[in-house]
Amino acid sequence: MATYLEFIQQNEERDGVRFSWNVWPSSRLEATRMVVPLACLLTPLKERPDLPPVQYEPVLCSRPTCKAVLNPLCQVDYRAKLWACNFCFQRNQFPPAYGGISEVNQPAELMPQFSTIEYVIQRGAQSPLIFLYVVDTCLEEDDLQALKESLQMSLSLLPPDALVGLITFGRMVQVHELSCEGISKSYVFRGTKDLTAKQIQDMLGLTKPAMPMQQARPAQPQEHPFASSRFLQPVHKIDMNLTDLLGELQRDPWPVTQGKRPLRSTGVALSIAVGLLEGTFPNTGARIMLFTGGPPTQGPGMVVGDELKIPIRSWHDIEKDNARFMKKATKHYEMLANRTAANGHCIDIYACALDQTGLLEMKCCANLTGGYMVMGDSFNTSLFKQTFQRIFTKDFNGDFRMAFGATLDVKELGVGGTSQWKICGLDPTSTLGIYFEVVNQHNTPIPQGGRGAIQFVTHYQHSSTQRRIRVTTIARNWADVQSQLRHIEAAFDQEAAAVLMARLGVFRAESEEGPDVLRWLDRQLIRLCQKFGQYNKEDPTSFRLSDSFSLYPQFMFHLRRSPFLQVFNNSPDESSYYRHHFARQDLTQSLIMIQPILYSYSFHGPPEPVLLDSSSILADRILLMDTFFQIVIYLGETIAQWRKAGYQDMPEYENFKHLLQAPLDDAQEILQARFPMPRYINTEHGGSQARFLLSKVNPSQTHNNLYAWGQETGAPILTDDVSLQVFMDHLKKLAVSSAC
Amino acid sequence: MAELYVKPGNKERGWNDPPQFSYGLQTQAGGPRRSLLTKRVAAPQDGSPRETSPGPPPMGPPPPSSKAPRSPPVGSGPASGVEPTSFPVESEAVMEDVLRPLEQALEDCRGHTRKQVCDDISRRLALLQEQWAGGKLSIPVKKRMALLVQELSSHRWDAADDIHRSLMVDHVTEVSQWMVGVKRLIAEKRSLFSEEAANEEKSAATAEKNHTIPGFQQAS
């Protein structure tokens, strides 16, 4: 329904929220009958250029177990200056500053258009942002040079008062003392032995002996939260020296013999980084940025040995329990990730190598702390350089988009208490999936015109170092599934539902066996079709889905084939990388990952979306496919021939030149803004790289059924996996069958 | 002022390496962009093969452009060429015109900034001179340095800073050794300027308080 789509869109733009169902089932039993759980995607820091933050603190409900924030759903008595909390019904007195409010003079937070509002906290000191670079020196010369230059460049992009530090590693781990004097010193650690936080802090001289009570000494570095330490200095003081230090970095000096991998002590390097920050700047926004060009091969957290003839684990190895180092390494990085998150810091991983680097084992470092994961072939590529630059992108106010140290509180009507999550690193696209459980008993009557309400409160450190609070309060109607089925159907958000189910599926896939997840996904889809499809029993041809469900089966079809659930076409590192980004992107980008976008360009009209199907591959079309991780431009056979013949250079065929340029321009729009930067494939009919397109499109015409269709249109795909038509036929048969 | 260009990616290191956008193009991108290509088409519910466009694929040349003003069947993005921007013909930036103001700025800062920092900046300016004189710097770098110096001389600190950033992003290999010195020089000059402005205000206020004749100020 057009109006519901508008409603969904407006809500997402204003509040950064998309619910699977926009009316809510009134009991637990009803909720399970709806198959798709009641859940939402929340983008806590959704960019709102039209929403200036207010410069005062939020008014809270006085009930200690509630503390909900004053919002547009609250009843207000302007004369008595009282407000009733809509969550716990407590009557609260307005603070004195609100003495002048009235019906015609409302504070912003009571106005419906401010269902999402941001407050700036004025009190408390503001601590600078901290960036600790942890750099692998076991790289090839070109790669190391490119990485050094990127790091030097980043010093120009960091704010002048941010603190920056450097740890380099290879066989040994070096913590560099940053000073403005000419001599550079560093502390060297063996890469084979892990150390506790205390040992690290002692060895770096960060802990002073206990002082006798009568002596008054100036505060020590770790007691003075905003003083810098010898290892973390402000950019404006240290940039020249650090530029030189980076420029002088050499490859790891330990020789690597034929048939061996370099000894890389990533586990200890990260451990020292975590311990250093823990001891000097706990509970303030900080990023540990790990740059690595190969797998950890030594010490705790090693992922593979140094013998090249023993390859790094594949999915097959893992399935056969043949991955020696995996469990222990994962445990090491999980321990580091948990400590980092507890300290309010985050860990980024920038892994550039042709072979795997251990992202599978290290992924918790990025995932649990809200850090980034970037995967490339080499540091000397545009993909790495620009992705890295984009970390420092500024928003419309000239501030960094990254934010730190967030806690999200979710408050629901009728449930005592609140749920809280900690997200140490996030940005305006970070999106969480929140799943709700309806606890009402069946047949409890809904209050007349009853609405449920949820409030999301996100406390965080803005990149300008201000502390802020973003509050979003939303409400939806309760509904009774039996009597209001049509109403509930119309309120289904198939896009949100697809992404939320997909996230559940990936979560299961990481803890269960692969085929079980597919079976579970199929079962849910069949049940959904049985419940909400229109059909005559035992008659598959009668099956219809209303508009609000029409795209859902397709999403599920593509999800089943996606790299998030089909792992055997990728390395464990690649799967970890794809899943990492899938778990944090907003709805639009997540959908692109599930079901890539395909647009067709031709002389027949403006560019149009086409079915992700082999029948869309035509000789006189140019296709642009966006999978989020790749942008593919594919020229149909005739277009390719024309280009080869050079028609675009002839003035009388200028429109052909424009046709060739159109998808390039659109691709550029995407490439210019997306983080991480996608790979770019420009290919044509018969090109070896055409496989990127061919593997994604539904094989509706395979060598098995090409001639059965009766007309030769579209390119045949040589594969035996099931097509969307076959999938839909099976689905309809099962949905209408009384046996299920 | 900044260059807007797109270069191809590093095909040697990554066959599908995306193109590289200049700093100017990337900062232009700015805030949230509505994704233009986000629509999908539902699969036909009755499962029949889709009606594709009628007619066989043409084997001859493409349809020629019509004489009427063309309605472009084009996408929605800006058309920025893939070739590097060619600059209008103008005289190449002169080294002295760039280095003299920078050295002057450094001299101005000597009283205000620590000796070691000044020496460090001086060393880097010498390196800049050496590279320029030795023909090691490309035309775009020289051009932008000339612009940077203009902004610096006009006290437009943010603009000068932005140019330094664009050079670091687009030409890091050429400039990284000495650019950080220029960056520091901009920062020091800016802080010196605001200090002087603050002092002037203060002494103007004190002058009024002491009823000194306006226009007669102590030489500092």
Side-chain angles (χ1 to χ4, degrees):
Chain A
M1 275 161 68
T3 47
Y4 242 114
L5 285 177
E6 279 166 18
F7 170 79
I8 289 170
Q9 186 123 355
Q10 278 167 18
N11 275 280
E12 185 181 15
E13 276 175 17
R14 193 183 58 236
D15 297 325
V17 178
R18 294 253 326 225
F19 273 90
S20 50
W21 301 98
N22 285 292
V23 297
W24 295 345
S26 50
S27 76
R28 178 188 236 122
L29 185 59
E30 311 266 82
T32 53
R33 284 181 183 152
M34 284 160 70
V35 184
V36 172
L38 176 60
C40 78
L41 290 167
L42 168 71
T43 308
L45 299 191
K46 184 170 173 68
E47 218 147 20
R48 288 285 310 275
D50 59 323
L51 179 72
V54 297
Q55 304 288 331
Y56 51 85
E57 297 203 18
V59 172
L60 303 182
C61 175
S62 55
R63 196 194 292 268
T65 49
C66 177
K67 292 201 170 282
V69 179
L70 178 66
N71 65 77
L73 300 174
C74 298
Q75 298 272 39
V76 176
D77 182 339
Y78 287 100
R79 261 182 316 129
K81 306 285 188 262
L82 290 170
W83 63 279
C85 175
N86 62 306
F87 290 100
C88 72
F89 309 114
Q90 169 93 332
R91 292 171 79 73
N92 297 290
Q93 193 83 38
F94 275 109
Y98 285 69
I101 64 170
S102 69
E103 281 90 344
V104 298
N105 186 21
Q106 289 179 312
E109 59 267 36
L110 285 176
M111 299 192 227
Q113 65 266 37
F114 290 102
S115 51
T116 290
I117 186 168
E118 186 150 302
Y119 300 87
V120 178
I121 303 302
Q122 306 293 337
R123 56 191 158 80
Q126 293 170 359
S127 47
L129 304 183
I130 302 173
F131 298 85
L132 178 55
Y133 295 159
V134 182
V135 179
D136 174 8
T137 54
C138 301
L139 304 176
E140 281 179 44
E141 200 62 63
D142 283 350
D143 255 52
L144 183 59
Q145 183 59 30
L147 177 57
K148 279 156 55 169
E149 286 174 0
S150 283
L151 296 178
Q152 288 170 327
M153 175 214 64
S154 71
L155 296 178
S156 284
L157 300 178
L158 289 176
D161 54 356
L163 303 185
V164 67
L166 178 67
I167 295 177
T168 52
F169 69 97
R171 186 170 162 146
M172 313 290 244
V173 181
Q174 261 183 296
V175 184
H176 297 262
E177 196 176 272
L178 303 179
S179 79
C180 302
E181 322 300 312
I183 312 160
S184 51
K185 279 186 354 195
S186 61
Y187 290 67
V188 181
F189 295 78
R190 291 159 66 91
T192 43
K193 190 162 172 289
D194 198 12
L195 302 161
T196 64
K198 181 156 191 326
Q199 285 172 315
I200 293 166
Q201 286 152 28
D202 284 342
M203 288 165 89
L204 291 175
L206 296 172
T207 48
K208 296 285 157 89
M211 296 310 301
M213 290 296 270
Q214 52 269 45
Q215 275 190 291
R217 281 278 295 249
Q220 305 310 318
Q222 70 273 24
E223 294 164 27
H224 221 304
F226 315 131
S228 52
S229 87
R230 289 169 293 133
F231 304 104
L232 294 153
Q233 290 270 326
V235 172
H236 69 84
K237 258 179 80 183
I238 207 63
D239 53 4
M240 293 204 283
N241 294 75
L242 186 51
T243 299
D244 290 341
L245 181 54
L246 286 166
E248 285 154 14
L249 284 182
Q250 300 287 324
R251 294 173 66 195
D252 189 60
W254 300 92
V256 181
T257 49
Q258 192 79 279
K260 295 261 192 176
R261 295 186 176 92
L263 289 174
R264 205 180 262 108
S265 324
T266 320
V268 173
L270 259 185
S271 187
I272 292 174
V274 172
L276 168 59
L277 281 181
E278 205 167 41
T280 48
F281 296 99
N283 300 317
T284 183
R287 304 198 88 84
I288 297 172
M289 301 170 107
L290 172 69
F291 300 89
T292 181
T297 46
Q298 171 174 266
M302 71 184 273
V303 153
V304 69
D306 66 338
E307 296 273 343
L308 268 172
K309 64 174 187 254
I310 303 177
I312 194 169
R313 75 289 168 278
S314 65
W315 278 119
H316 284 288
D317 292 326
I318 294 170
E319 205 194 14
K320 294 183 169 37
D321 213 11
N322 193 23
R324 274 186 62 194
F325 303 103
M326 193 179 77
K327 281 199 177 61
K328 210 157 153 239
T330 307
K331 215 161 149 234
H332 174 79
Y333 294 112
E334 277 176 358
M335 178 269 294
L336 289 179
N338 285 321
R339 269 170 60 201
T340 308
N343 295 325
H345 305 146
C346 60
I347 300 176
D348 296 339
I349 305 174
Y350 304 91
C352 286
L354 290 172
D355 198 358
Q356 296 185 69
T357 53
L359 287 177
L360 178 74
E361 290 81 355
M362 295 193 286
K363 66 183 181 193
C364 50
C365 289
N367 293 346
L368 294 183
T369 65
Y372 296 122
M373 191 189 285
V374 173
M375 188 180 77
D377 294 331
S378 146
F379 289 108
N380 196 13
T381 55
S382 147
L383 188 142
F384 167 72
K385 291 180 193 176
Q386 286 186 104
T387 303
F388 184 56
Q389 282 165 27
R390 283 177 194 176
I391 305 232
F392 305 101
T393 307
K394 300 230 164 125
D395 66 14
F396 46 91
N397 274 333
D399 295 315
F400 282 161
R401 299 171 86 236
M402 60 174 100
F404 296 90
T407 50
L408 169 67
D409 293 285
V410 182
K411 169 151 227 62
E412 319 101 57
L413 176 64
V415 181
T418 333
S419 313
Q420 193 182 76
W421 283 273
K422 192 168 180 180
I423 314 136
C424 298
L426 73 174
D427 66 30
T429 60
S430 302
T431 302
L432 299 132
I434 305 175
Y435 299 80
F436 298 94
E437 217 184 304
V438 179
V439 294
N440 287 356
Q441 292 301 328
H442 194 49
N443 290 328
T444 312
I446 318 164
Q448 195 61 275
R451 305 189 87 197
I454 300 184
Q455 186 172 76
F456 303 103
V457 181
T458 308
H459 291 73
Y460 71 102
Q461 180 184 18
H462 187 257
S463 63
S464 64
T465 75
Q466 281 174 334
R467 289 215 65 88
R468 294 195 180 183
I469 306 179
R470 171 89 65 114
V471 182
T472 295
T473 317
I474 56 98
R476 296 287 188 277
N477 292 326
W478 297 108
D480 173 53
V481 179
Q482 305 292 58
S483 56
Q484 296 173 283
L485 191 64
R486 286 285 163 269
H487 205 88
I488 288 185
E489 260 183 48
F492 182 61
D493 182 346
Q494 57 190 335
E495 294 185 338
V499 175
L500 288 159
M501 287 299 276
R503 285 197 183 198
L504 274 182
V506 173
F507 178 72
R508 280 176 176 242
E510 295 199 295
S511 41
E512 283 171 25
E513 295 300 313
D516 286 344
V517 179
L518 294 180
R519 256 179 255 132
W520 170 80
L521 209 59
D522 290 346
R523 224 174 23 251
Q524 304 311 311
L525 178 58
I526 294 164
R527 285 179 58 211
L528 191 73
C529 290
Q530 283 175 330
K531 179 88 186 172
F532 294 101
Q534 291 113 41
Y535 54 90
N536 303 321
K537 277 219 181 306
E538 305 297 340
D539 179 10
T541 57
S542 67
F543 185 87
R544 288 287 177 280
L545 283 172
S546 65
D547 283 347
S548 50
F549 290 81
S550 59
L551 291 174
Y552 189 82
Q554 223 180 121
F555 288 139
M556 292 300 108
F557 171 76
H558 287 285
L559 174 63
R560 292 167 97 258
R561 309 174 75 218
S562 73
F564 310 110
L565 298 184
Q566 296 288 351
V567 297
F568 286 92
N569 290 330
N570 296 113
S571 68
D573 275 11
E574 282 169 326
S575 304
S576 304
Y577 172 70
Y578 295 138
R579 286 172 172 172
H580 162 87
H581 285 285
F582 184 67
R584 62 175 42 195
Q585 277 295 340
D586 63 27
L587 180 135
T588 308
Q589 306 301 318
S590 301
L591 274 181
I592 293 175
M593 293 187 217
I594 295 174
Q595 182 177 338
I597 295 278
L598 192 64
Y599 267 71
S600 173
Y601 299 74
S602 71
F603 285 119
H604 305 289
E608 49 169 11
V610 291
L611 207 54
L612 190 61
D613 182 285
S614 54
S615 62
S616 301
I617 305 178
L618 297 167
D620 64 343
R621 305 288 156 108
I622 304 177
L623 292 175
L624 180 119
M625 181 174 75
D626 180 6
T627 71
F628 183 85
F629 300 101
Q630 298 138 334
I631 306 284
V632 181
I633 293 183
Y634 172 94
L635 302 187
E637 189 171 12
T638 310
I639 304 269
Q641 285 168 359
W642 287 337
R643 184 172 71 169
K644 193 151 168 225
Y647 282 105
Q648 63 277 11
D649 299 322
M650 301 178 205
E652 59 272 35
Y653 294 104
E654 206 188 350
N655 58 343
F656 180 62
K657 182 168 164 217
H658 291 301
L659 180 62
L660 286 180
Q661 188 63 33
L664 297 178
D665 290 342
D666 287 346
Q668 186 173 304
E669 285 264 312
I670 302 171
L671 289 165
Q672 229 174 303
R674 182 170 291 159
F675 179 91
M677 226 186 159
R679 295 178 185 252
Y680 179 66
I681 296 149
N682 198 329
T683 185
E684 60 186 44
H685 171 86
S688 62
Q689 299 162 32
R691 68 183 187 275
F692 280 93
L693 175 65
L694 299 177
S695 62
K696 291 288 182 191
V697 297
N698 153 47
S700 63
Q701 285 141 29
T702 65
H703 58 285
N704 285 333
N705 61 13
L706 176 63
Y707 299 105
W709 288 129
Q711 42 178 330
E712 203 175 292
T713 48
I717 314 278
L718 301 174
T719 174
D720 286 322
D721 67 291
V722 61
S723 68
L724 179 61
Q725 276 76 11
V726 172
F727 179 79
M728 288 300 295
D729 289 340
H730 281 318
L731 177 61
K732 288 175 200 171
K733 275 203 201 87
L734 292 166
V736 307
S737 158
S738 348
C740 279
Chain B
M1 288 236 214
E3 292 170 17
L4 305 171
Y5 64 77
V6 186
K7 285 188 315 200
N10 186 350
K11 295 297 174 194
E12 280 171 54
R13 276 313 219 139
W15 61 272
N16 48 22
D17 203 28
Q20 185 136 11
F21 297 89
S22 67
Y23 177 81
L25 268 184
Q26 298 226 64
T27 45
Q28 214 182 53
R33 307 178 67 126
R34 174 153 286 267
S35 309
L36 300 157
L37 306 182
T38 53
K39 300 226 177 339
R40 287 185 178 79
V41 171
Q45 295 231 29
D46 53 14
S48 57
R50 268 192 65 203
E51 279 303 313
T52 48
S53 61
M59 298 309 281
S65 301
S66 58
K67 308 238 169 26
R70 51 178 168 79
S71 52
V74 295
S76 26
S80 5
V82 208
E83 51 275 73
T85 337
S86 55
F87 302 104
V89 177
E90 58 180 57
S91 53
E92 214 178 271
V94 176
M95 183 176 81
E96 273 314 302
D97 289 345
V98 170
L99 272 151
R100 219 181 326 108
L102 289 176
E103 275 153 13
Q104 182 58 54
L106 179 56
E107 280 313 304
D108 295 342
C109 290
R110 282 216 184 257
H112 157 90
T113 306
R114 271 175 51 216
K115 179 178 188 307
Q116 189 174 17
V117 174
C118 290
D119 289 346
D120 205 340
I121 297 175
S122 174
R123 183 166 56 85
R124 291 173 205 272
L125 291 183
L127 191 55
L128 163 57
Q129 173 159 27
E130 192 188 305
Q131 288 193 353
W132 193 310
K136 298 215 180 94
L137 299 181
S138 62
I139 295 178
V141 169
K142 293 192 231 181
K143 181 181 178 228
R144 264 193 252 180
M145 278 308 293
L147 288 170
L148 188 155
V149 160
Q150 271 176 35
E151 301 288 7
L152 184 61
S153 308
S154 314
H155 304 164
R156 284 193 288 269
W157 319 114
D158 286 338
D161 214 19
D162 200 53
I163 299 178
H164 121 256
R165 254 195 299 277
S166 78
L167 279 166
M168 277 300 278
V169 169
D170 292 336
H171 301 281
V172 63
T173 313
E174 278 179 70
V175 313
S176 62
Q177 287 182 296
W178 46 265
M179 183 54 81
V180 64
V182 176
K183 171 194 180 206
R184 189 65 94 86
L185 188 56
I186 299 170
E188 293 295 333
K189 196 75 170 75
R190 185 206 291 243
S191 108
L192 173 67
F193 185 77
S194 29
E195 232 181 69
E196 285 177 343
N199 285 341
E200 270 179 35
E201 271 177 38
K202 246 197 309 187
S203 48
T206 348
E208 278 175 23
K209 250 177 75 179
N210 295 337
H211 302 293
T212 40
I213 305 162
F216 280 73
Q217 296 256 7
Q218 294 272 4
S220 47

